[in-house]
């Protein structure tokens, strides 16, 4: 993993934690005293920043243009989701993005990558069709080469599992649609 700490626990770990807490609360409610776990859930500790790849100068030499930077997490708007990217598509358009061809007049730094497969870790207040733990695919300019990505929920496509295979089908379909 790119971060020492994760933004969220996996669903299994959260479920396990909730089960352990429920067991302790059951024991304490039967007259065995109180417990430090018998209190409202505490928020999970989140990292302050995440890493992403940006073009620090315009160039079609991707290695020369790209640099890893850290960024703070943005506040989610009501119709947005925060996704932890697990896989990113690598394709020929990357050199066009780093060269500034997709956004004429853009000045560095330019966020790199486009398509990604990941897992929803947080949803905005108005998001109804996605929830934490859902596997999704995204295709947003600058959204691929980063640990986390914020997108409009309508731009996240739910899939059974966030895999390289699911991601490759999306990239192939997108390419075919514009060919």
């Amino acid at each position: 993993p790119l971060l020492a700490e994760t933004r969220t626990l996996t669903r299994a770990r959260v479920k396990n934690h909730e089960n352990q807490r429920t067991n302790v609360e059951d024991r304490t409610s039967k007259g065995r005293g109180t417990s430090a776990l018998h209190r409202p859930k505490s928020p999970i500790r989140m990292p302050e920043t995440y890493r992403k790849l940006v073009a620090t100068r315009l160039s079609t030499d991707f290695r020369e243009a790209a640099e890893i930077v850290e960024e703070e997490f943005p506040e989610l708007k009501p119709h947005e989701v925060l996704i932890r990217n697990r896989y990113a598509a690598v394709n020929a358009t990357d050199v066009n993005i780093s060269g500034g061809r997709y956004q004429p007049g853009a000045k560095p730094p330019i966020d790199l990558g486009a398509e990604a497969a990941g897992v929803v870790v947080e949803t905005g207040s108005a998001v109804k069709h996605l929830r934490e733990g859902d596997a999704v695919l995204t295709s947003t300019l600058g959204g691929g080469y980063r640990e986390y990505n914020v997108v409009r929920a309508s731009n996240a496509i739910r899939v059974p599992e966030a895999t390289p295979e699911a991601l490759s089908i999306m990239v192939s379909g997108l390419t075919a649609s514009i060919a």
Side-chain angles (χ1 to χ4, degrees):
L2 293 175
L3 286 175
E5 298 176 16
T6 58
R7 179 146 174 93
T8 185
L9 297 173
T10 62
R11 293 177 98 183
R13 286 177 60 198
V14 168
K15 188 69 172 167
N16 185 39
H17 173 73
E18 288 172 352
N19 287 341
Q20 288 173 353
R21 196 177 136 197
T22 301
N23 290 339
V24 169
E25 288 174 357
D26 286 347
R27 286 193 311 264
T28 60
S29 66
K30 293 177 183 170
R32 294 188 183 171
T34 59
S35 166
L37 293 177
H38 188 65
R39 63 178 185 261
K41 291 182 187 179
S42 61
I44 297 169
R45 185 174 163 188
M46 307 290 197
E48 297 291 322
T49 62
Y50 68 95
R51 293 188 291 182
K52 67 179 185 175
L53 203 57
V54 299
T56 56
R57 67 183 199 89
L58 297 179
S59 174
T60 55
D61 182 337
F62 193 83
R63 286 185 180 180
E64 196 173 288
E67 183 178 316
I68 298 172
V69 299
E70 286 200 27
E71 184 170 281
E72 291 184 6
F73 286 92
E75 288 291 323
L76 277 186
K77 295 178 183 162
H79 294 280
E80 293 179 330
V81 292
L82 174 65
I83 299 162
R84 181 166 185 359
N85 286 347
R86 298 183 86 191
Y87 302 98
V90 177
N91 55 61
T93 61
D94 292 334
V95 296
N96 292 320
I97 296 170
S98 67
R101 295 180 180 150
Y102 272 75
Q103 298 171 343
K107 296 187 183 336
I110 299 172
D111 291 349
L112 297 172
E115 300 88 9
V119 176
V120 174
V121 294
E122 192 175 333
T123 61
S125 60
V127 176
K128 304 297 180 210
H129 71 287
L130 295 170
R131 62 179 186 219
E132 184 179 323
D134 283 348
V136 294
L137 302 177
T138 60
S139 181
T140 56
L141 196 57
Y145 299 149
R146 55 180 56 228
E147 292 173 313
Y148 293 88
N149 191 18
V150 173
V151 299
R152 285 192 59 81
S154 60
N155 291 342
I157 303 165
R158 191 174 15 201
V159 292
E161 190 175 354
T163 64
E165 294 80 10
L167 184 56
S168 68
I169 291 171
M170 180 178 158
V171 173
S172 299
L174 182 61
T175 301
S177 74
I178 60 175

